[in-house]
Structures are given as structure tokens and as C-alpha cells.
Amino acid sequence: MASAITTLAADAPTLSAANTGFMLICSALVMLMTPGLAFFYGGMVRVKSSLNMLMMSFISLGIVTILWVLYGFSLAFGTDSGSLIGWNSDYVGLSGIGITELWDGYTIPVYVFAVFQLMFAVITPALISGALADRVKFSAWALFTALWVTVVYFPVAHWVWGAGGWLFELGVIDFAGGTAVHINAGAAALGVILVIGKRVGFKKDPMRPHSLPLVMLGAGLLWFGWFGFNAGSWLGNDDGVGAVMFVNTQVATAAAMLAWLAYEKLRHGSFTTLGAASGAVAGLVAITPAGGAVSPLGAIAVGAIAGLLCAMAVGLKYKFGFDDSLDVVGVHLVGGIAGSLLVGFFATGGVQSDVAGLFYGGGLEQLGKQAIGVFAVLAYSLVASALLAFLLDKTMGMRVTEDDEVSGIDQVEHAETAYDFSGAGGGSSSRSTAVPVPAAAASKKVDA
Amino acid sequence: MKLITAIVKPHKLDEIKEALQAFGVQGLTVTEASGYGRQRGHTEVYRGAEYTVDLVPKIRIEVLTDDADADDVIDVIVRAAATGKIGDGKVWSVPVDSVVRVRTRERGADAL
């Protein structure tokens, strides 16, 4: 991004209606990824906890949106302080920003940049929730989300993308969030599950996905929204880089899906639906940091390698005994690391920046920088997230009781069930009246 | 009289029905069933994690016949139900004390 700022600054950028419209659409596409993720995760859990899984993603749209406007945008993209965090009081409550004020050297308003980045901040904590399926108090999760974005996401976004952030200054390439989003969320997931432990019945009870069609719907929405996530990350398309990113997103995802399916066929004998959906997401994750730096052929390689690695990695939880319920570590952490490091091999030096990777005559330098970015974010997020979870567990408690977990978290946390299985005419076993229950009585019922 | 019960693969139902009609059987009862035999269901794989599904879908067919026809009816069902693969099912017969046609109150062989 640095080189683009310099070239554009020479002829003082003016507001581009095309880029602004493009970025508003991209922001809306990224927003769609969070409900898409909710379906992707929601289909993978058992019926009795499917609503909770949907809600753990969906609540992020509420909490993070408000925090982002209040102080998150300022912390992530305000004026740098010590390379670690930003601050700009004009950004607090988005109160001091003119509607035609342009984002630093670009042709889009600050508001547009703020809302585009907001959608990234929304989906990142939602990604973590997949590791925590079936067992976390909703109130504890909501508070964790608020604390986590404040302590982990906003600072890390500043490190990676903020002018003056230490990883940005170091020259780490993270086009659209392999480090700030996927490694960050994957490492956080690992940190939290190491604190809260396994689901009741992990490795003993069957925990089959309750609806693979929902998983496919979610994966499809993610894939669709990801075009906004990736192609929008150039913040405009005056020079075609956004289009390269769009192409690379498509081909890497396709390659990863095929690689995952091929691995499954050889290893387990079937081409599974869940494998196709998971492979696609693994490819999307891996191309996120790399898509602006590689050619379409490089994107195929990145996707295929990531698809294969992630397919192999999802089995690790059984081997090591940590209950990463829906494979956030196996897909997002491993996929994010793969994509970030592969930049060091496949960067062509001709697209996003002039930095070339190992296979294009660039030597080991960029690979080293990528590795620093990967491990800095991984270590910080892992430790900080584990500490936050530990703190919440010791104070309000992170988990529902074993009884509630076994009978189903949806009923105890949300006073709802996902599907009405009663027969024609409303069923006889759970006869209900249409009379509204008084609020006090309703809350008593939930507590009971 | 005999009650013949067959537990077979669901997709074989039509063939069995046609074979029994051709043989001259007047009526039968079909219910959906689930269970397992020696093959113990099947395995499903989700991201490499294998789940054994014990109870697989089956069809239960019940036919009442004369003692004299019982063996032939069993043969007809077995021939129509066989695929040669595991899970084809089982057919058995048990003696029946009495049968009454509800509409006419006919008893025994007349009620079949």
C-alpha cells in the first residue's frame, strides 16, 4: 500500500465516485460473510446447539459495530503511537470526519474506509466462535468479543495495516488479512479452548453436523463475500490490482477445494460435501494475504498447498486432544500461516508491490519478514486470548453447566430451539397457547 | 396359515410387490423399518472423523398365506430381494392361529 500512497499523493487525489461505489459494495459483501459464517458453523453443530452457533457469529455485528464507531477505528487507524497503537480523537464516534474527507492518499472518503474495515473487525471474533461450539455461556462470549477486539484485534490491525504499525513498517505483506484476521482468530481460538476445555463427550459421542446444506450455503456466501474482502482491499480499482485479486481469489479457492477433495478421496474413500466446503474456505483464507502479490498460477499453487495442509491439519485435534470443535485452528490458523508464508515464495514482484519471493529471484528476505509477522501475531493473540478467557472463567464462568451442555445450549441460553419437530397441527406433546407470557414469568422459566 | 415377514432393502420393494402379485398373493402390508445385521450399518466421514451409523433404513413386508404356499412365497420374495451384496435382509415365517376378515367376519383360509 505504501507505494500507492506515494504515487497518488503526487497528484493530490480527488474523490472517485467509481471507487467509492465499488468500496461500498465491497463493504456490503464483507458484511454478508458474517451471517454466511454463521450458517457455515451453524450447520456443522448438532441440532440442539445450532442457534447458539448462529448467534455467536451474529452478535458480533452488534457489539463490534458499536465499539468500532466508539473507539475501535481510532485505535486501529488513528495516528501511530510507538508503532503499537493508534489514536485520533476525530475518529471517536466518527465525530470529526467530514463527509468528503478522503482517506489518507486514496480516492475514497474516510467513512467508506472506516465502514469497510469495520466489516473485517466484525467477522474476526466471529471466526473464533467455531472452536467453542456447544459449551460457552452466551453472556461470557459477548463480553469476550468486546474485550478481545479491544485488546487484540484493534491493536493487531494497527500493527499490520496502520501507517506506523510495526509490522506494516517492517514490510510484512498482508493484503487482506491473513495475519490480522485469520492467524489472529485461529490463534485466539486455540488460546481459548486450552483454557475452557473440551465438550462433554469429545472423542466419545458422535457429533455429526446437523445440516450440510446449511454448511454449503454458508460456504457459498463466504466465497461470494470474499470477493469484497479481497478485491476491495486495494481500496479502489484504478490500476487493476483489485481485479487481479478477484481472479486470484477465485482460482485459489477452486484449487484448494479440489486439493481437499482429492486428499479425502485417497485417505477416506469419498468426496464429501463438508470437504468441498472446508477446502473452499481454506483456499479463501490462504489467498487472503497472498492474493495481491502472486500471479493466477501462483494462486493455484497457494490454494492447492493450503487445501492439502488444512485437510491434514483438521485431524490434529484428535491427536493432541484439544477440542477445536469446528476446526478454526485447522482451517484459519493453518491456512493463514500457509498463505502468509507462501507470499515469501510466490510473490512475483509485479502486482501489489515490487517485492519478489524466493521463486521469483527475491531471496529469503520477504519470507523472513512474513515469518516474523506470522509468529508475532500468533504469539500475541494466543497468549492474550488465553488470559482473557482465564479471567472471564475465574469471574463469571465461561461454560454452561454439564447438564445444560448435554441437554442443549439453545434452550438454556436462548430459550429457543432451531426446528419445530412436532407433527401436523402443532403437535400434541408440546401444546402451547398463543397468550404472551409476562416478562417476569418468561425469565423465570429460562432460569429454571 | 403362516405369517411371512421380510426385512429387505427399500429399493427392492417394487420388484418384490410385482413378484408377489404375479405369484397370486392378494395383499400385503409394508412398513418402514430400521436396523442392522452382521454388517453393522455403515460409516460416514466428516473432515476425516468416522462415524458408524448402526441403524440403516429397511422395509418390512408382511404377507399371510396358506401353509401350502408359504415356502413358495418365501422363495418368490428371496429371489426378488436378492442383490448378492451385504445387507439384503431376511425372510421368516411363523404359524398363525386364526385370521378374521373384518368386513365379512370370514375366518381361516377364506379370510386370506
PDB file of all heavy atoms in Angstrom, chain A residues 44 206-208 268 278 318 326-327, chain B residues 44-51 53:
ATOM      1  N   MET A  44     -22.734 -27.146  11.045  1.00  0.00           N
ATOM      2  CA  MET A  44     -21.766 -28.167  11.455  1.00  0.00           C
ATOM      3  C   MET A  44     -21.987 -28.695  12.865  1.00  0.00           C
ATOM      4  O   MET A  44     -21.391 -29.688  13.260  1.00  0.00           O
ATOM      5  CB  MET A  44     -20.349 -27.593  11.357  1.00  0.00           C
ATOM      6  CG  MET A  44     -19.657 -27.918  10.058  1.00  0.00           C
ATOM      7  SD  MET A  44     -17.923 -27.496  10.109  1.00  0.00           S
ATOM      8  CE  MET A  44     -17.960 -25.791   9.612  1.00  0.00           C
ATOM      9  N   PRO A 206     -20.946 -39.280  19.136  1.00  0.00           N
ATOM     10  CA  PRO A 206     -20.982 -38.773  17.766  1.00  0.00           C
ATOM     11  C   PRO A 206     -21.411 -37.307  17.777  1.00  0.00           C
ATOM     12  O   PRO A 206     -22.317 -36.935  18.504  1.00  0.00           O
ATOM     13  CB  PRO A 206     -22.036 -39.650  17.083  1.00  0.00           C
ATOM     14  CG  PRO A 206     -22.851 -40.228  18.177  1.00  0.00           C
ATOM     15  CD  PRO A 206     -21.982 -40.275  19.401  1.00  0.00           C
ATOM     16  N   MET A 207     -20.736 -36.475  17.031  1.00  0.00           N
ATOM     17  CA  MET A 207     -21.098 -35.057  16.959  1.00  0.00           C
ATOM     18  C   MET A 207     -21.186 -34.660  15.493  1.00  0.00           C
ATOM     19  O   MET A 207     -20.484 -33.786  15.012  1.00  0.00           O
ATOM     20  CB  MET A 207     -20.065 -34.215  17.703  1.00  0.00           C
ATOM     21  CG  MET A 207     -20.052 -34.502  19.196  1.00  0.00           C
ATOM     22  SD  MET A 207     -18.786 -33.598  20.059  1.00  0.00           S
ATOM     23  CE  MET A 207     -19.069 -34.118  21.759  1.00  0.00           C
ATOM     24  N   ARG A 208     -22.058 -35.367  14.815  1.00  0.00           N
ATOM     25  CA  ARG A 208     -22.192 -35.144  13.375  1.00  0.00           C
ATOM     26  C   ARG A 208     -22.805 -33.786  13.067  1.00  0.00           C
ATOM     27  O   ARG A 208     -23.669 -33.325  13.807  1.00  0.00           O
ATOM     28  CB  ARG A 208     -23.107 -36.218  12.780  1.00  0.00           C
ATOM     29  CG  ARG A 208     -22.386 -37.494  12.474  1.00  0.00           C
ATOM     30  CD  ARG A 208     -23.269 -38.377  11.633  1.00  0.00           C
ATOM     31  NE  ARG A 208     -24.391 -38.886  12.390  1.00  0.00           N
ATOM     32  CZ  ARG A 208     -25.487 -39.396  11.833  1.00  0.00           C
ATOM     33  NH1 ARG A 208     -25.607 -39.433  10.530  1.00  0.00           N
ATOM     34  NH2 ARG A 208     -26.462 -39.864  12.573  1.00  0.00           N
ATOM     35  N   HIS A 268      -9.879 -41.290   2.764  1.00  0.00           N
ATOM     36  CA  HIS A 268     -11.093 -41.819   3.400  1.00  0.00           C
ATOM     37  C   HIS A 268     -12.079 -42.446   2.431  1.00  0.00           C
ATOM     38  O   HIS A 268     -13.121 -42.936   2.830  1.00  0.00           O
ATOM     39  CB  HIS A 268     -11.804 -40.714   4.191  1.00  0.00           C
ATOM     40  CG  HIS A 268     -10.940 -40.060   5.211  1.00  0.00           C
ATOM     41  ND1 HIS A 268     -10.534 -40.699   6.360  1.00  0.00           N
ATOM     42  CD2 HIS A 268     -10.361 -38.833   5.252  1.00  0.00           C
ATOM     43  CE1 HIS A 268      -9.754 -39.890   7.066  1.00  0.00           C
ATOM     44  NE2 HIS A 268      -9.633 -38.752   6.406  1.00  0.00           N
ATOM     45  N   SER A 278     -15.097 -27.049   3.193  1.00  0.00           N
ATOM     46  CA  SER A 278     -13.932 -26.725   4.016  1.00  0.00           C
ATOM     47  C   SER A 278     -12.737 -26.364   3.144  1.00  0.00           C
ATOM     48  O   SER A 278     -11.977 -25.443   3.460  1.00  0.00           O
ATOM     49  CB  SER A 278     -13.541 -27.918   4.894  1.00  0.00           C
ATOM     50  OG  SER A 278     -14.663 -28.418   5.567  1.00  0.00           O
ATOM     51  N   TYR A 318      -7.677 -34.446  17.247  1.00  0.00           N
ATOM     52  CA  TYR A 318      -7.875 -35.772  17.847  1.00  0.00           C
ATOM     53  C   TYR A 318      -6.559 -36.318  18.366  1.00  0.00           C
ATOM     54  O   TYR A 318      -6.498 -36.998  19.373  1.00  0.00           O
ATOM     55  CB  TYR A 318      -8.482 -36.732  16.822  1.00  0.00           C
ATOM     56  CG  TYR A 318      -9.833 -36.289  16.338  1.00  0.00           C
ATOM     57  CD1 TYR A 318     -10.018 -35.855  15.030  1.00  0.00           C
ATOM     58  CD2 TYR A 318     -10.937 -36.276  17.194  1.00  0.00           C
ATOM     59  CE1 TYR A 318     -11.266 -35.431  14.580  1.00  0.00           C
ATOM     60  CE2 TYR A 318     -12.183 -35.856  16.763  1.00  0.00           C
ATOM     61  CZ  TYR A 318     -12.335 -35.431  15.455  1.00  0.00           C
ATOM     62  OH  TYR A 318     -13.558 -35.006  15.019  1.00  0.00           O
ATOM     63  N   LEU A 326     -14.986 -26.849  15.472  1.00  0.00           N
ATOM     64  CA  LEU A 326     -15.252 -26.764  14.038  1.00  0.00           C
ATOM     65  C   LEU A 326     -13.988 -26.413  13.255  1.00  0.00           C
ATOM     66  O   LEU A 326     -14.043 -25.842  12.167  1.00  0.00           O
ATOM     67  CB  LEU A 326     -16.368 -25.744  13.780  1.00  0.00           C
ATOM     68  CG  LEU A 326     -17.639 -25.930  14.628  1.00  0.00           C
ATOM     69  CD1 LEU A 326     -18.686 -24.890  14.262  1.00  0.00           C
ATOM     70  CD2 LEU A 326     -18.216 -27.326  14.476  1.00  0.00           C
ATOM     71  N   ASP A 327     -12.838 -26.725  13.826  1.00  0.00           N
ATOM     72  CA  ASP A 327     -11.555 -26.632  13.120  1.00  0.00           C
ATOM     73  C   ASP A 327     -11.150 -25.213  12.736  1.00  0.00           C
ATOM     74  O   ASP A 327     -10.689 -24.966  11.617  1.00  0.00           O
ATOM     75  CB  ASP A 327     -11.566 -27.540  11.893  1.00  0.00           C
ATOM     76  CG  ASP A 327     -11.827 -28.989  12.275  1.00  0.00           C
ATOM     77  OD1 ASP A 327     -11.071 -29.500  13.122  1.00  0.00           O
ATOM     78  OD2 ASP A 327     -12.770 -29.594  11.765  1.00  0.00           O
TER      79      ASP A 327
ATOM     80  N   GLU B  44     -19.841 -43.028   8.072  1.00  0.00           N
ATOM     81  CA  GLU B  44     -19.826 -41.722   7.422  1.00  0.00           C
ATOM     82  C   GLU B  44     -18.576 -40.972   7.886  1.00  0.00           C
ATOM     83  O   GLU B  44     -18.112 -41.178   9.001  1.00  0.00           O
ATOM     84  CB  GLU B  44     -21.097 -40.931   7.797  1.00  0.00           C
ATOM     85  CG  GLU B  44     -22.361 -41.594   7.258  1.00  0.00           C
ATOM     86  CD  GLU B  44     -23.648 -40.826   7.577  1.00  0.00           C
ATOM     87  OE1 GLU B  44     -23.556 -39.716   8.124  1.00  0.00           O
ATOM     88  OE2 GLU B  44     -24.722 -41.367   7.263  1.00  0.00           O
ATOM     89  N   VAL B  45     -18.048 -40.125   6.996  1.00  0.00           N
ATOM     90  CA  VAL B  45     -16.804 -39.419   7.315  1.00  0.00           C
ATOM     91  C   VAL B  45     -17.034 -37.914   7.263  1.00  0.00           C
ATOM     92  O   VAL B  45     -17.530 -37.397   6.269  1.00  0.00           O
ATOM     93  CB  VAL B  45     -15.690 -39.790   6.307  1.00  0.00           C
ATOM     94  CG1 VAL B  45     -14.374 -39.136   6.700  1.00  0.00           C
ATOM     95  CG2 VAL B  45     -15.530 -41.286   6.215  1.00  0.00           C
ATOM     96  N   TYR B  46     -16.725 -37.212   8.358  1.00  0.00           N
ATOM     97  CA  TYR B  46     -16.841 -35.754   8.393  1.00  0.00           C
ATOM     98  C   TYR B  46     -15.484 -35.168   8.730  1.00  0.00           C
ATOM     99  O   TYR B  46     -15.013 -35.296   9.845  1.00  0.00           O
ATOM    100  CB  TYR B  46     -17.889 -35.316   9.415  1.00  0.00           C
ATOM    101  CG  TYR B  46     -19.268 -35.832   9.077  1.00  0.00           C
ATOM    102  CD1 TYR B  46     -19.761 -36.987   9.651  1.00  0.00           C
ATOM    103  CD2 TYR B  46     -20.052 -35.163   8.128  1.00  0.00           C
ATOM    104  CE1 TYR B  46     -21.016 -37.469   9.316  1.00  0.00           C
ATOM    105  CE2 TYR B  46     -21.310 -35.635   7.787  1.00  0.00           C
ATOM    106  CZ  TYR B  46     -21.783 -36.786   8.389  1.00  0.00           C
ATOM    107  OH  TYR B  46     -23.021 -37.268   8.053  1.00  0.00           O
ATOM    108  N   ARG B  47     -14.850 -34.515   7.778  1.00  0.00           N
ATOM    109  CA  ARG B  47     -13.493 -33.993   7.943  1.00  0.00           C
ATOM    110  C   ARG B  47     -12.584 -35.052   8.552  1.00  0.00           C
ATOM    111  O   ARG B  47     -11.859 -34.796   9.506  1.00  0.00           O
ATOM    112  CB  ARG B  47     -13.501 -32.744   8.815  1.00  0.00           C
ATOM    113  CG  ARG B  47     -13.876 -31.493   8.053  1.00  0.00           C
ATOM    114  CD  ARG B  47     -13.769 -30.290   8.940  1.00  0.00           C
ATOM    115  NE  ARG B  47     -14.111 -29.067   8.243  1.00  0.00           N
ATOM    116  CZ  ARG B  47     -14.441 -27.946   8.860  1.00  0.00           C
ATOM    117  NH1 ARG B  47     -14.502 -27.918  10.161  1.00  0.00           N
ATOM    118  NH2 ARG B  47     -14.711 -26.871   8.168  1.00  0.00           N
ATOM    119  N   GLY B  48     -12.673 -36.252   8.026  1.00  0.00           N
ATOM    120  CA  GLY B  48     -11.776 -37.314   8.455  1.00  0.00           C
ATOM    121  C   GLY B  48     -12.223 -38.062   9.697  1.00  0.00           C
ATOM    122  O   GLY B  48     -11.700 -39.115  10.005  1.00  0.00           O
ATOM    123  N   ALA B  49     -13.216 -37.525  10.434  1.00  0.00           N
ATOM    124  CA  ALA B  49     -13.697 -38.224  11.624  1.00  0.00           C
ATOM    125  C   ALA B  49     -14.778 -39.213  11.193  1.00  0.00           C
ATOM    126  O   ALA B  49     -15.750 -38.828  10.560  1.00  0.00           O
ATOM    127  CB  ALA B  49     -14.259 -37.228  12.624  1.00  0.00           C
ATOM    128  N   GLU B  50     -14.586 -40.488  11.537  1.00  0.00           N
ATOM    129  CA  GLU B  50     -15.521 -41.502  11.067  1.00  0.00           C
ATOM    130  C   GLU B  50     -16.619 -41.766  12.094  1.00  0.00           C
ATOM    131  O   GLU B  50     -16.360 -41.869  13.286  1.00  0.00           O
ATOM    132  CB  GLU B  50     -14.761 -42.795  10.763  1.00  0.00           C
ATOM    133  CG  GLU B  50     -13.796 -42.617   9.607  1.00  0.00           C
ATOM    134  CD  GLU B  50     -13.266 -43.929   9.066  1.00  0.00           C
ATOM    135  OE1 GLU B  50     -13.509 -44.978   9.705  1.00  0.00           O
ATOM    136  OE2 GLU B  50     -12.620 -43.887   8.004  1.00  0.00           O
ATOM    137  N   TYR B  51     -17.850 -41.830  11.618  1.00  0.00           N
ATOM    138  CA  TYR B  51     -18.986 -42.144  12.485  1.00  0.00           C
ATOM    139  C   TYR B  51     -19.651 -43.400  11.954  1.00  0.00           C
ATOM    140  O   TYR B  51     -19.930 -43.497  10.766  1.00  0.00           O
ATOM    141  CB  TYR B  51     -20.001 -41.006  12.465  1.00  0.00           C
ATOM    142  CG  TYR B  51     -19.493 -39.727  13.054  1.00  0.00           C
ATOM    143  CD1 TYR B  51     -18.951 -38.744  12.248  1.00  0.00           C
ATOM    144  CD2 TYR B  51     -19.541 -39.519  14.430  1.00  0.00           C
ATOM    145  CE1 TYR B  51     -18.474 -37.560  12.793  1.00  0.00           C
ATOM    146  CE2 TYR B  51     -19.075 -38.342  14.984  1.00  0.00           C
ATOM    147  CZ  TYR B  51     -18.545 -37.363  14.161  1.00  0.00           C
ATOM    148  OH  TYR B  51     -18.078 -36.210  14.699  1.00  0.00           O
ATOM    149  N   VAL B  53     -22.887 -45.491  11.593  1.00  0.00           N
ATOM    150  CA  VAL B  53     -24.335 -45.374  11.713  1.00  0.00           C
ATOM    151  C   VAL B  53     -24.890 -46.789  11.735  1.00  0.00           C
ATOM    152  O   VAL B  53     -24.890 -47.483  10.729  1.00  0.00           O
ATOM    153  CB  VAL B  53     -24.903 -44.571  10.532  1.00  0.00           C
ATOM    154  CG1 VAL B  53     -26.408 -44.458  10.632  1.00  0.00           C
ATOM    155  CG2 VAL B  53     -24.270 -43.190  10.488  1.00  0.00           C
TER     156      VAL B  53
END
